[in-house]
Amino acid sequence: MLHHQDHYSELLVLFSVVIALLTCFATLDLTERLVRGKRGYRFILVISCILGTGMWSMHYIGMRAMKLEVTVSYDLPLLLLSLVVSIAASYALLLLLSSPYTRSKGYLAFGGILFSSGILIMHFSGIMSMKFAGDYEQSQFSVLLSIVFSLAVPVITASYKPKWIENDYNMFTAKKILLVSVLTASLTGTHYAAMSGASFPADETLIYSSTAPLLADSFLGMILAGSFILIVLIVLILLYKDRKRVLFSAKFNEQRYTALFESSPDMVLCIDPFRKKVISANPSLRQTTGYEKEELGDYKKILCTAEDEALLKAAVKQAVEGHSAKLELAVKIKSGGSLICSTTVFPLINDKQRLVYIVAEDVTAIVKFQQELIIAKEAAESADRMKSEFLAIMSHEIRTPLNGIIGINQLLAEDIENPDQQEMLRLQYRSSQALLNVISDVLDISRLESDGMQLRSETFQLPVLLEECIDLFEATAREKNLQLHLQVSQDIPEYLVGDSLRIRQIMVNLIGNAVKFTPFGDIHVTVESSGGQENGQGLTFRIKDTGIGIPPEKLELLFQPFTQLDASHSRQYQGTGLGLAICKKLIELMNGRIWAESEVDKGTEFILNIRLPSAETEPRQVQDKSEQKGRQMKPEAV
């Protein structure tokens, strides 16, 4: 007799498909948990038993669905072998899935082939375990068709991608349902494709010569019913645990939100903009403002100005459209007074409704503090401007009569011939010049600090300027047996454009300090080119001496105004402490920089970089040496 689709029990076929579906669903869900977390071999074995037993049950329910009209028994060893093969094939595949090192396309395709092979072996060993009065024949086409159906498993396993589990765990996803459907169709298709080509020619007697025990068909049916119930229970347990997880997560989120809402120091208000109703207001809002929830719906009542009311309405409208906003509002307090609140308005949108949250923080103290800071800053700036103006005015007022004193002193020196009086006049002249230098320094530093100094632009000869600066200290250097050396690089243009008066002032200060703090040895003044570009000629000035040097910890004090490295009253070297501060500010005004390198008892080197435009041609008139000397700056003290 030949069995085809009309010779099956529809109810048992449906059961076989249902148990395959439930088995695939439970296996996929547990496998996802296996991949997401670190699970042991026992967990893998449990999943393997579920998958193997489910496929084994599907297979034998499908065989029992055939209407053979003869009594069928089953060879128990072959029956158990088919179950073991199914579980072992499942275990091999899940073992490869459990490790990230074997979770590649090659390994997973190999595991899928092992699983499909195990299912096919289970199927045909199950057929061979059937004992009845008849023979078994199988068409080759149906065998090939069942193999084709089984190849869907390695294709699915090889297509696994890590991004499948990037999102949070969810028991029901479209991808998971699709995979369950495909796997169910593949596994049931493997079974019924093979059975479509199976035939069982009848025989009069059952010939069974083996000593292995036989299992009655009715007893197998009871086992299969038990396995079906077990699979259903496993699925129900998974559904229950997932439902419990969802409820716990929802309850936890609700508790967390409630705790944040009730305990937040910020004022939180939730409104329904469509119904124009206040949904909730946290205790902080009620305690701070004194309003109850029902009183907060009227913006005019709680906001200080109409502008604030318009801003808040616009922000709520924007939140309804899905955008958040941040603004600052002045809020009335029920008991009197007002608050300045930094307010954030944002939406809460779900399928059923759109709510708007308004979160406000009381920043009244911060705003008042900022206003006080602004007032204090303006007062400090005003005081600083007054100080600079006072210094500038006083410097001018003192310098004018002082110049008259110096002039009278020179006239008296021409008329008086008494040596003692001449010495007193020379002392007075030196004192007047020192006081004039101090006043000039104070005037310069005040102008630099108030950004009142403007640089001039004129053509000058750098070598001539440097020689004149050196000439100022020739007499002092001879008295101390010092050697002054000047070297200007040949690749520097002879004519440059800049403020020669301020460059002279800088060099006079630096050379004067070198002479002042060098008891013996040499002083080298060198100028090198640091590269010529379109925006000017780069110059590097180096003033190096063999003087007393500066301790490393005091180098950072060099360029600070009114700072002396030796601040004692009995210090050996006198000065105002303004010279280097003026040099630094002048160099920075020229977009340059200055720094010092020094070793105690070995000398100091000051290095400065500036960039000056070069003159393309020689100027028509160049001030001669005598005219330049009329603009000489006197030696300054640090």
Side-chain angles (χ1 to χ4, degrees):
M1 55 189 298
L2 179 64
H3 295 280
H4 50 79
Q5 190 173 4
D6 293 339
H7 296 131
Y8 285 91
S9 169
E10 289 82 359
L11 183 60
L12 290 179
V13 170
L14 178 61
F15 276 164
S16 68
V17 174
V18 170
I19 197 171
L21 181 69
L22 295 177
T23 300
C24 290
F25 175 79
T27 302
L28 272 179
D29 186 74
L30 292 172
T31 302
E32 182 180 355
R33 302 184 190 196
L34 172 68
V35 175
R36 285 179 180 272
K38 295 181 179 179
R39 306 283 185 165
Y41 293 107
R42 293 181 180 177
F43 190 76
I44 299 174
L45 183 60
V46 170
I47 305 175
S48 304
C49 291
I50 294 172
L51 179 58
T53 303
M55 292 301 100
W56 181 84
S57 301
M58 179 272 297
H59 167 69
Y60 280 98
I61 291 175
M63 288 200 306
R64 293 191 76 254
M66 295 185 300
K67 298 178 180 179
L68 294 178
E69 299 177 355
V70 293
T71 302
V72 179
S73 299
Y74 296 88
D75 187 285
L76 189 57
L78 286 175
L79 193 73
L80 295 176
L81 176 65
S82 63
L83 177 60
V84 171
V85 168
S86 178
I87 295 174
S90 304
Y91 187 83
L93 174 59
L94 293 170
L95 194 64
L96 294 175
L97 270 169
S98 65
S99 174
Y101 302 105
T102 56
R103 213 175 289 156
S104 61
K105 289 186 178 181
Y107 280 109
L108 295 181
F110 176 70
I113 292 173
L114 286 179
F115 178 76
S116 299
S117 302
I119 295 299
L120 290 170
I121 293 172
M122 175 199 71
H123 173 82
F124 289 106
S125 62
I127 294 291
M128 298 303 297
S129 70
M130 295 175 64
K131 302 301 176 184
F132 58 94
D135 295 328
Y136 162 66
E137 295 178 359
Q138 182 76 49
S139 68
Q140 294 181 355
F141 176 76
S142 63
V143 174
L144 292 175
L145 186 61
S146 66
I147 293 174
V148 169
F149 271 101
S150 67
L151 290 178
V153 176
V155 171
I156 292 174
T157 56
S159 63
Y160 167 80
K161 295 179 181 178
K163 67 179 183 180
W164 287 4
I165 58 171
E166 286 180 354
N167 297 327
D168 295 335
Y169 168 79
N170 188 357
M171 192 171 191
F172 296 99
T173 61
K175 190 177 297 249
K176 184 183 290 187
I177 293 171
L178 178 62
L179 283 175
V180 168
S181 302
V182 172
L183 284 173
T184 302
S186 170
L187 295 172
T188 55
T190 300
H191 172 78
Y192 286 106
M195 295 307 296
S196 65
S199 60
F200 304 90
D203 199 352
E204 294 181 356
T205 58
L206 171 63
I207 301 175
Y208 182 72
S209 59
S210 176
T211 58
L214 293 176
L215 185 67
D217 185 63
S218 58
F219 192 70
L220 177 62
M222 295 174 61
I223 294 175
L224 294 175
S227 64
F228 181 83
I229 294 172
L230 178 63
I231 297 296
V232 171
L233 284 175
I234 291 172
V235 173
L236 291 176
I237 291 171
L238 291 175
L239 291 173
Y240 170 75
K241 291 187 68 176
D242 184 71
R243 178 64 177 171
K244 189 176 180 181
R245 178 188 64 83
V246 171
L247 291 176
F248 174 79
S249 178
K251 185 177 180 180
F252 175 75
N253 288 333
E254 183 180 358
Q255 291 174 343
R256 182 173 60 178
Y257 165 77
T258 303
L260 289 173
F261 185 80
E262 297 292 334
S263 305
S264 175
D266 295 336
M267 295 171 279
V268 183
L269 181 68
C270 178
I271 63 173
D272 186 339
F274 297 101
R275 294 187 297 167
K276 296 182 178 180
K277 180 180 179 182
V278 175
I279 304 299
S280 58
N282 72 335
S284 177
L285 176 59
R286 298 194 298 269
Q287 293 169 6
T288 304
T289 63
Y291 296 109
E292 294 300 325
K293 184 179 73 171
E294 294 76 13
E295 300 176 282
L296 295 169
D298 187 4
Y299 295 160
K300 293 181 180 180
K301 187 175 182 179
I302 61 174
L303 296 177
C304 292
T305 63
E307 289 79 4
D308 286 347
E309 181 184 352
L311 284 174
L312 183 56
K313 287 183 177 179
V316 171
K317 183 178 179 181
Q318 186 178 351
V320 172
E321 297 172 354
H323 305 286
S324 60
K326 192 171 182 65
L327 57 155
E328 197 169 276
L329 303 173
V331 178
K332 298 177 184 177
I333 302 176
K334 190 174 182 179
S335 59
S338 63
L339 298 175
I340 300 175
C341 297
S342 176
T343 308
T344 303
V345 183
F346 59 91
L348 176 63
I349 302 174
N350 56 30
D351 296 335
K352 296 182 179 180
Q353 59 182 350
R354 294 192 177 193
L355 302 178
V356 174
Y357 272 88
I358 302 174
V359 180
E361 179 187 3
D362 181 8
V363 294
T364 307
I366 297 175
V367 171
K368 288 183 178 179
F369 180 69
Q370 290 175 343
Q371 292 173 348
E372 292 173 358
L373 283 179
I374 292 172
I375 294 172
K377 177 177 176 291
E378 291 176 350
E381 290 175 349
S382 176
D384 186 63
R385 285 193 300 269
M386 292 178 63
K387 180 202 74 173
S388 299
E389 292 174 1
F390 173 78
L391 287 175
I393 292 171
M394 292 303 297
S395 298
H396 278 295
E397 294 297 327
I398 296 174
R399 189 161 57 173
T400 300
L402 189 59
N403 283 325
I405 294 172
I406 293 173
I408 294 172
N409 181 280
Q410 291 175 340
L411 292 175
L412 289 174
E414 294 175 0
D415 296 335
I416 297 176
E417 296 179 357
N418 187 307
D420 293 337
Q421 293 178 346
Q422 283 282 350
E423 180 63 29
M424 292 176 65
L425 288 173
R426 281 194 293 271
L427 178 60
Q428 184 189 40
Y429 177 78
R430 288 195 296 270
S431 299
S432 299
Q433 286 291 346
L435 181 58
L436 182 62
N437 291 333
V438 171
I439 294 171
S440 297
D441 284 348
V442 171
L443 179 61
D444 285 343
I445 199 71
S446 64
R447 290 172 63 190
L448 286 166
E449 288 182 348
S450 62
D451 296 328
M453 180 175 288
Q454 299 294 327
L455 295 177
R456 300 191 304 172
S457 181
E458 60 183 358
T459 302
F460 68 96
Q461 290 177 284
L462 181 62
V464 174
L465 184 147
L466 294 174
E467 288 175 2
E468 292 172 350
C469 293
I470 291 290
D471 290 344
L472 290 173
F473 302 97
E474 285 289 350
T476 307
R478 281 196 301 269
E479 292 177 2
K480 301 178 69 172
N481 293 322
L482 297 177
Q483 297 293 324
L484 298 177
H485 304 279
L486 174 63
Q487 182 179 357
V488 182
S489 179
Q490 296 295 327
D491 55 354
I492 296 176
E494 183 178 0
Y495 295 97
L496 298 170
V497 178
D499 193 334
S500 60
L501 180 63
R502 296 306 172 187
I503 295 174
R504 182 193 306 274
Q505 183 178 357
I506 293 168
M507 296 308 297
V508 166
N509 269 289
L510 296 177
I511 297 172
N513 282 337
V515 172
K516 178 180 178 181
F517 294 105
T518 304
F520 58 85
D522 302 302
I523 296 172
H524 292 268
V525 179
T526 60
V527 187
E528 302 171 349
S529 172
S530 58
Q533 298 178 2
E534 294 181 359
N535 59 343
Q537 173 69 43
L539 301 174
T540 300
F541 295 79
R542 297 178 182 272
I543 298 89
K544 186 174 183 180
D545 62 53
T546 57
I548 60 175
I550 303 169
E553 66 274 9
K554 294 188 176 182
L555 281 175
E556 60 182 14
L557 303 176
L558 276 178
F559 302 102
Q560 297 181 11
F562 302 102
T563 300
Q564 295 284 350
L565 299 186
D566 181 9
S568 63
H569 293 288
S570 60
R571 61 180 184 266
Q572 180 180 356
Y573 303 101
Q574 301 297 318
T576 62
L578 288 174
L580 289 178
I582 293 172
C583 289
K584 183 174 185 297
K585 289 184 177 294
L586 287 173
I587 292 168
E588 290 175 349
L589 197 60
M590 299 177 188
N591 297 320
R593 57 186 295 260
I594 183 173
W595 69 96
E597 298 174 358
S598 182
E599 290 186 43
V600 177
D601 298 329
K602 291 186 178 181
T604 304
E605 181 177 18
F606 284 89
I607 306 166
L608 64 99
N609 288 329
I610 59 174
R611 185 172 295 278
L612 297 176
S614 57
E616 297 181 358
T617 59
E618 181 180 352
R620 294 180 181 179
Q621 292 182 350
V622 179
Q623 291 175 311
D624 58 25
K625 190 172 183 180
S626 61
E627 291 174 334
Q628 293 287 346
K629 285 186 177 180
R631 297 161 57 192
Q632 290 173 0
M633 304 298 294
K634 297 298 180 182
E636 307 295 344
V638 179

